[in-house]
Amino acid sequence: MGGKLELEKQLAIIIEGAVRQLAEKEGCTLPDNYKTLLETPKEERFGELSCNAAMQLAKAFRSNPKVIAAKITELIEGKHPAVEKTEIAGAGFINFYLKKQWYYDELALMISRGEDYGSLISDKPKTINVEYVSSNPTGPCHIGNARGGAIGDVIANVYRKAGWEVTKEFYLNDAGNQIKKFGESIYARYKQLTDPDFPFPEDGYKGQDVAGIAERFAKENPEADKMPKEELTEKAIAFGLENNVGNIRRVLEKYGINYDVWFSESTLHESGAITKAIDFLRDKGAVYEKDGAVWFKATDYNCEKDEVLIRSNGIPTYFASDIAYHLNKLKERNFDLAVNVWGADHHGHVHRLRMSMAAAGIDPERLRIVLMQLVHLVRGNETLRMSKRRGDMVTLDELLEEVPVDAVRYIFNSTNPNSHLDFDMDLAVKNTLDNPVFYVQYAHARICSILRNVPPANTPADYTKLTDKTEIALLAAMADYSGVIKTAADEFDPSKITKYVYDLASCFHSFYNACRVKNEDASLMNARLMLITACKNIIKSALTILGVSAPEEM
RNA sequence: GCGUCUUUAGCACAGCGGAUAGUGCAUCCGGCUACGAACCGGAAGGUCGAAGGUUCGAAUCCUUUAAGGCGCACCA
């Protein structure tokens, strides 16, 4: 596996051993919440790794942290070959200073692993299903979907890098109430082609796109006006869905998203999976009937109210099909983990869905919902309110016409999903050139340029000549990669990757300005060529996770 | 009203129990006759929304509170 992540694990084991040994000798018990934690100090002078064990133990050991630290340090002396020295500082921190050789060994590993460096390896890969965007096929993808798409796609990529078997999935809501409304809306627009006074449904889809669909439908189906209303509506829905789903698929591809599975909700209705799911929950005693409807006893699971599964008119709710869908993921297909990326406007749905899994005997921890706060679209000073029904929104397609894909994906992944985001169209276009993504890409292109211009000498590289502080800083940043992958995966937070790759690029640029590659002593030059090659691979790997291109020239 | 997310430098954000609170943009000063200046080095800028508490130690955890976003349908 390599990287600082592995070094941390090894050191933590050694320290923990010393702590236990010490506890036994002194006749003390460790606090219940004790955990050996290593962290990277903010300041260079405190070394590369730091441990606060002594401070955590002060109370239990009835002793001064500095004294405990001294005892621990004594026990671990010389136990790890990468450690140059340890020092006790501050209130009782044990600081570790690494041998330069550790970095050189790590560089050798980076070179041998190539772009695969940083991947986490597990003997038995777990399976994960990441579902994202899943926009309603009643219309095009909008800006909110764009954020969800960027976040979901990167979470999936991060998990792949973290050693999981990943399925990217789009859940197609091609059944239910909103599809019915969609059909009625197309029908009305169709009728209006010949009768402008034909009434449009109150809560129909008023967007221009629906009118366009009706027009094209009329053109391609000249016989349609002879059909009965039901048949015509059904045909119109099929026509509209095919049109919209095709568009969604196309624009997402343009956005760099390619799904493994397009899962259709209507198959759940047709296969009887919904009825089966409800029966299953009924067997578990979580379902009852009232007022002619079928209910889920959500209040048994700490929800505010019970939820309807089948309306009194016999039509299942969206919640019912969602339960069937997630049973399909977690029971039928048996993914170890299912992750959904949802807009914060759905947060009320999170707990009850997870509890429906609990009711079905499935560990709700296997279903994780990543909530992203909504995107507010701003143009200069005015806030643009988005409504699909009214049809006044900026689509992903339009966005991509104004702003390059790389910039959009980078922007949407540069903040935590939990943060509210104002997306300023004017600024996004204007700032395209000083978007941080270009800073990172520039580092990559710069390295490629050096590699084109500087042929390696016919001498073995001597890594021990990499001693400049910018070289060590760069090596240190590169060695952090696997740890960043782990954190990004654990926290479902793609912004950890953007922040990291930006910092890495910054370390490279500093190195570039402080050190030369060309015309140096041959063994040093070759070492620096290796250094920047490894750096290039990591930048490329991280950008690939982000779905951003890594151009060799720009 | 209940739930939930957010509040850190002029702006956009990071830090989520540790040692002097960071990064970018904007501002100011300096650096290309050398591998790509879309770059680098430096300066300035903050009662971490407010008040209490927990502990060796709080931007970070717990209460209370203020402002804003989003939910609270036999909609999705």
Side-chain angles (χ1 to χ4, degrees):
Chain A
M1 182 173 301
K4 201 171 183 184
L5 182 63
E6 188 173 345
L7 177 63
E8 273 175 36
K9 276 185 194 161
Q10 294 165 350
L11 273 177
I13 291 168
I14 292 171
I15 295 167
E16 184 134 348
V19 164
R20 291 190 185 283
Q21 199 182 329
L22 202 60
E24 200 170 314
K25 195 171 136 201
E26 312 252 325
C28 312
T29 45
L30 299 183
D32 292 341
N33 56 353
Y34 173 78
K35 237 178 130 184
T36 305
L37 284 176
L38 284 155
E39 58 169 16
T40 301
K42 273 181 247 170
E43 281 186 65
E44 219 179 297
R45 66 195 169 98
F46 296 131
E48 282 103 327
L49 279 169
S50 177
C51 182
N52 65 354
M55 281 121 101
Q56 286 189 68
L57 296 171
K59 199 173 234 176
F61 281 41
R62 286 181 303 272
S63 178
N64 182 322
K66 286 190 175 184
V67 175
I68 303 170
K71 289 180 179 167
I72 295 173
T73 309
E74 205 174 303
L75 284 169
I76 61 178
E77 183 79 46
K79 287 264 175 72
H80 198 289
V83 176
E84 170 87 36
K85 60 167 179 171
T86 55
E87 256 177 27
I88 297 159
F93 291 102
I94 303 171
N95 293 333
F96 296 87
Y97 297 77
L98 302 182
K99 286 181 184 154
K100 294 255 189 342
Q101 189 58 43
W102 182 77
Y103 291 108
Y104 305 144
D105 293 344
E106 200 57 31
L107 177 54
L109 182 66
M110 290 171 195
I111 293 297
S112 70
R113 295 279 302 274
E115 272 179 47
D116 195 42
Y117 177 79
S119 300
L120 309 184
I121 297 157
S122 49
D123 308 332
K124 250 196 220 143
K126 289 191 188 170
T127 56
I128 182 174
N129 178 292
V130 188
E131 183 219 316
Y132 50 104
V133 183
S134 299
S135 62
N136 271 330
T138 50
C141 288
H142 54 75
I143 297 260
N145 301 133
R147 186 181 194 189
I151 291 171
D153 205 42
V154 177
I155 288 175
N157 293 341
V158 164
Y159 268 84
R160 191 165 288 155
K161 185 80 178 169
W164 291 57
E165 229 167 74
V166 178
T167 300
K168 298 181 179 180
E169 188 152 320
F170 188 108
Y171 182 49
L172 195 55
N173 299 114
D174 56 356
N177 236 328
Q178 85 282 2
I179 293 295
K180 208 172 133 228
K181 272 181 206 156
F182 180 56
E184 284 162 3
S185 305
I186 306 177
Y187 180 78
R189 291 295 188 216
Y190 174 82
K191 281 297 191 188
Q192 285 175 353
L193 291 174
T194 47
D195 173 14
D197 292 331
F198 192 89
F200 191 79
E202 188 85 357
D203 49 356
Y205 291 95
K206 299 194 174 87
Q208 265 307 307
D209 52 317
V210 173
I213 288 168
E215 255 174 69
R216 264 172 287 135
F217 175 74
K219 208 179 277 174
E220 292 183 28
N221 299 277
E223 309 297 308
D225 56 338
K226 298 195 185 82
M227 293 177 195
K229 182 183 175 184
E230 258 107 78
E231 190 190 345
L232 197 156
T233 306
E234 204 174 292
K235 281 228 157 72
I237 289 175
F239 182 87
L241 281 182
E242 199 187 326
N243 172 82
N244 283 356
V245 174
N247 284 341
I248 289 171
R249 210 184 269 257
R250 225 165 296 133
V251 73
L252 287 176
E253 264 170 39
K254 187 168 149 197
Y255 194 42
I257 297 178
N258 295 287
Y259 288 100
D260 301 305
V261 175
W262 289 75
F263 194 100
S264 148
E265 182 187 353
S266 60
T267 61
L268 293 170
H269 292 80
E270 287 155 15
S271 68
I274 295 176
T275 320
K276 227 175 99 188
I278 294 171
D279 288 345
F280 188 69
L281 287 181
R282 189 177 284 119
D283 286 347
K284 305 267 182 188
V287 165
Y288 66 94
E289 261 117 90
K290 195 184 90 184
D291 302 335
V294 178
W295 298 73
F296 171 58
K297 270 165 125 173
T299 46
D300 280 0
Y301 297 89
N302 204 21
C303 294
E304 278 176 28
K305 54 186 178 51
D306 290 345
E307 297 291 333
V308 172
L309 295 171
I310 300 181
R311 302 179 183 93
S312 46
N313 64 9
I315 298 172
T317 58
Y318 167 85
F319 183 43
S321 47
D322 231 15
I323 292 174
Y325 176 44
H326 287 89
L327 284 177
N328 175 285
K329 283 183 187 171
L330 294 171
K331 217 163 137 254
E332 303 293 317
R333 289 189 279 165
N334 198 26
F335 285 101
D336 292 312
L337 186 61
V339 176
N340 297 352
V341 179
W342 286 355
D345 53 340
H346 287 67
H347 90 250
H349 190 51
V350 173
H351 191 238
R352 57 176 180 256
L353 182 62
R354 294 184 88 206
M355 288 308 103
S356 73
M357 294 297 107
I362 288 167
D363 178 4
E365 284 305 299
R366 288 173 58 207
L367 175 60
R368 295 295 302 256
I369 314 291
V370 176
L371 282 184
M372 52 152 192
Q373 298 302 313
L374 300 181
V375 178
H376 287 256
L377 194 62
V378 179
R379 249 189 215 280
N381 287 329
E382 62 170 323
T383 304
L384 307 176
R385 283 260 149 204
M386 293 191 292
S387 156
K388 202 172 245 190
R389 295 257 159 73
R390 282 203 315 271
D392 56 340
M393 53 179 190
V394 174
T395 65
L396 174 56
D397 216 4
E398 289 161 349
L399 176 67
L400 291 180
E401 266 166 38
E402 293 191 52
V403 189
V405 180
D406 286 346
V408 175
R409 289 191 60 131
Y410 198 94
I411 289 171
F412 278 132
N413 278 311
S414 54
T415 59
N416 187 299
N418 243 335
S419 67
H420 302 261
L421 188 68
D422 282 345
F423 193 96
D424 188 328
M425 282 291 281
D426 291 347
L427 206 68
V429 180
K430 207 170 69 194
N431 278 4
T432 281
L433 268 184
D434 51 30
N435 186 298
V437 73
F438 295 102
Y439 179 85
V440 177
Q441 290 179 321
Y442 181 59
H444 185 266
R446 229 180 187 184
I447 294 173
C448 291
S449 169
I450 300 172
L451 295 175
R452 278 192 302 268
N453 288 326
V454 185
N458 191 17
T459 315
D462 183 356
Y463 292 162
T464 65
K465 289 185 175 168
L466 302 174
T467 54
D468 189 88
K469 71 174 203 275
T470 60
E471 293 175 311
I472 300 300
L474 180 56
L475 280 165
M478 296 194 296
D480 282 340
Y481 191 38
S482 50
V484 171
I485 297 296
K486 185 173 187 320
T487 309
D490 288 349
E491 295 179 15
F492 303 94
D493 183 3
S495 73
K496 293 285 190 292
I497 306 287
T498 41
K499 186 176 161 15
Y500 169 74
V501 77
Y502 186 91
D503 290 342
L504 179 62
S506 172
C507 284
F508 167 74
H509 287 308
S510 296
F511 156 78
Y512 177 88
N513 277 275
C515 305
R516 291 191 52 78
V517 178
K518 201 176 181 178
N519 296 332
E520 288 288 348
D521 157 85
S523 59
L524 171 59
M525 183 181 88
N526 279 3
R528 285 186 174 157
L529 283 172
M530 290 294 114
L531 176 68
I532 64 172
T533 300
C535 179
K536 183 193 80 154
N537 288 340
I538 295 175
I539 292 177
K540 173 106 182 269
S541 165
L543 287 179
T544 304
I545 287 172
L546 293 171
V548 169
S549 67
E552 303 199 350
E553 289 173 49
M554 48 194 296

